């Protein structure tokens, strides 16, 4: 008889525990909330920088700027990276054309030689694309135009300046500057 008194409460406690466990297991699993672009950028630690095509100067400038920022560790493979930064430069090719022609002069009957030359300058567009290394989703995209110039040194300096502007845009996206105080 003593055993029947103990069995009742034991069965009741077991049933309650079973029901409680069932109630918790039947709740739908919470799906992970996908990270926003801003959150993914903010949480990134490792970055791989690649040159898609074009001039090496903007690539080197952006790579050294990101390295000097101290926020990221530069890695050599996409498998180790959280973000992949691609740098592409289009345009900016300087071409020189020289043409020589000879023929009779309109003022005299003797042949006259004329030489003409033209030099075409186009500005270079530098595009910086930052995408998630895991799912390849673009997280940041910006383009800057480097001014054209006659001198090689000036052209190179203009490429550096345009690449630095891109790096600043990216920096400001991750770490916005404080609002300016009104006077």
């Amino acid at each position: 008889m003593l055993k029947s008194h103990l069995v009742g409460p034991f069965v009741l406690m077991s049933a309650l525990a079973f029901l409680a466990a069932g109630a918790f297991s039947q709740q739908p699993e919470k799906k992970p909330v996908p990270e926003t672009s801003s959150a993914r950028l903010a949480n990134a630690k490792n970055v791989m920088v690649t040159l898609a095509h074009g001039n090496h100067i903007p690539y080197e400038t952006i790579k050294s700027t990101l390295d000097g920022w101290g926020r990221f560790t530069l890695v050599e493979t996409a498998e180790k990276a959280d973000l992949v930064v691609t740098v592409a430069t289009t345009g900016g090719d300087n071409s020189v054309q020289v043409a020589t022609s000879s023929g009779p002069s309109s003022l005299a009957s003797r042949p006259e030689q004329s030489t003409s030359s033209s030099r075409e300058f186009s500005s270079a567009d530098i595009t910086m694309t930052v995408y998630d290394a895991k799912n390849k989703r673009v997280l940041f995209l910006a383009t800057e135009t480097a001014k054209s110039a006659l001198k090689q040194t000036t052209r190179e300096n203009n490429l550096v300046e345009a690449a630095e502007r891109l790096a600043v845009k990216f920096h400001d996206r991750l770490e916005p500057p404080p609002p300016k105080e009104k006077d």
Side-chain angles (χ1 to χ4, degrees):
M1 191 150 153
L2 185 60
K3 286 184 176 179
S4 65
H5 271 90
L6 292 175
V7 171
F10 178 74
V11 170
L12 182 61
M13 292 295 280
S14 296
L16 286 175
F18 180 74
L19 289 173
F24 285 114
S25 66
Q26 289 178 352
Q27 292 179 353
E29 290 185 32
K30 291 185 179 179
K31 294 180 182 176
V33 177
E35 282 186 306
T36 63
S37 296
S38 296
R40 185 69 179 131
L41 287 170
N43 294 329
K45 302 287 184 230
N46 300 318
V47 176
M48 182 178 112
V49 183
T50 64
L51 174 64
H53 56 81
N55 195 304
H56 284 265
I57 293 172
Y59 160 77
E60 292 293 336
T61 301
I62 289 172
K63 185 175 179 181
S64 66
T65 302
L66 291 177
D67 190 32
W69 184 1
R71 180 182 180 110
F72 301 111
T73 300
L74 297 183
V75 295
E76 295 299 320
T77 64
E79 292 79 27
K80 295 178 183 177
D82 299 316
L83 303 175
V84 175
V85 177
T86 60
V87 180
T89 307
T90 55
D93 297 327
N94 295 326
S95 60
V96 179
Q97 298 174 348
V98 178
T100 305
S101 63
S102 58
S105 169
S106 59
L107 300 174
S109 60
R110 61 184 180 165
E112 184 178 280
Q113 186 174 6
S114 66
T115 303
S116 66
S117 66
S118 65
R119 191 166 191 167
E120 296 178 16
F121 293 99
S122 62
S123 55
D125 288 330
I126 304 165
T127 301
M128 178 179 174
T129 307
V130 179
Y131 62 91
D132 189 312
K134 307 301 181 234
N135 63 20
K136 311 297 186 247
R137 188 175 72 185
V138 174
L139 304 173
F140 176 85
L141 174 67
T143 300
E144 281 289 328
T145 301
K147 298 176 193 173
S148 60
L150 291 172
K151 294 182 179 179
Q152 178 74 22
T153 306
T154 306
R155 278 194 307 273
E156 290 173 358
N157 289 340
N158 291 346
L159 287 170
V160 169
E161 289 172 5
E164 287 174 341
R165 288 193 304 269
L166 280 173
V168 166
K169 283 181 180 180
F170 182 61
H171 180 278
D172 290 352
R173 168 80 188 277
L174 271 66
E175 297 175 10
K180 294 180 181 180
E181 294 182 21
K182 294 181 181 179
D183 292 330

